[in-house]
Amino acid sequence: KEGLTTKGNVIVAWPYSEPKPTQEELNLWIAQDGKIAEIKLLRNLNKSKPTPQTVGGYSGNLDNRTFNVSTDIHIPQFNAIASKLQRRIDAGIESPTRSWGDVNGDRAELTISDYYSLIDHLELRDEQEYIQAKLKIDAVNNLTTIEEIEAFDIKEPIV
């Protein structure tokens, strides 16, 4: 709780009008806070590190290719590439492309539509990471024992 002062796992100052929690309640809060920190770290790692993503269901050069992509790094990069391709289109160049490598090291000539599809894919992945983190945090906050919290698998998706 905000404003709570502890030394180790012992309450030193309790600046609230409601009754001071028991040591068991404090230990539960500490366990919940620790698990929530793990969930947020996993969310941030999943968003920021390049991970293999298979892009399916798109036309063009993306279908069923796997790319190492990161929301934090590649969305701005793909937007910049799409802008350059748009300038080429505006200059009268028909169907300009720029190559991008997949996880196998193969180069694919991608169009502006392909890059926008990759951006859409990454934005969806980003949104899903935040939704999963919120669901997991809510689940942890509803657990009532330290054993349940310790057993909670942060890598397991919640449906």
Side-chain angles (χ1 to χ4, degrees):
K1 277 194 159 199
E2 199 171 306
L4 173 66
T5 306
T6 61
K7 187 171 189 173
N9 287 349
V10 178
I11 297 174
V12 177
W14 182 255
Y16 308 105
S17 58
E18 67 254 20
K20 183 177 174 183
T22 65
Q23 188 62 46
E24 185 177 304
E25 290 171 320
L26 177 62
N27 291 342
L28 183 67
W29 292 348
I30 291 168
Q32 287 171 325
D33 287 347
K35 189 62 77 166
I36 289 168
E38 290 176 32
I39 291 166
K40 290 178 178 179
L41 177 63
L42 180 64
R43 176 203 63 207
N44 293 342
L45 285 173
N46 287 344
K47 279 177 27 81
S48 63
K49 77 176 182 185
T51 53
Q53 295 289 306
T54 300
V55 181
Y58 297 104
S59 60
N61 297 308
L62 294 178
D63 206 23
N64 295 316
R65 283 190 178 262
T66 303
F67 297 89
N68 278 324
V69 290
S70 156
T71 56
D72 293 344
I73 297 168
H74 291 103
I75 288 176
Q77 191 171 12
F78 292 159
N79 272 316
I81 292 168
S83 292
K84 288 178 185 176
L85 292 174
Q86 185 60 55
R87 285 194 298 276
R88 290 181 186 167
I89 291 168
D90 294 345
I93 298 171
E94 192 172 318
S95 302
T97 62
R98 181 175 182 291
S99 68
W100 193 265
D102 66 14
V103 294
N104 298 319
D106 297 326
R107 301 298 291 184
E109 289 298 323
L110 303 180
T111 66
I112 192 169
S113 295
D114 294 328
Y115 282 102
Y116 283 133
S117 293
L118 281 168
I119 292 165
D120 290 345
H121 176 79
L122 288 171
E123 287 173 344
L124 176 62
R125 185 176 108 186
D126 183 70
E127 182 179 357
Q128 290 169 337
E129 288 295 338
Y130 276 94
I131 290 169
Q132 275 298 305
K134 173 76 170 98
L135 292 171
K136 291 173 186 178
I137 288 168
D138 289 347
V140 166
N141 282 327
N142 288 322
L143 298 175
T144 58
T145 68
I146 292 174
E147 292 77 19
E148 290 174 324
I149 293 167
E150 289 172 350
F152 186 86
D153 185 357
I154 65 170
K155 293 181 181 179
E156 189 66 34
I158 296 180
V159 286

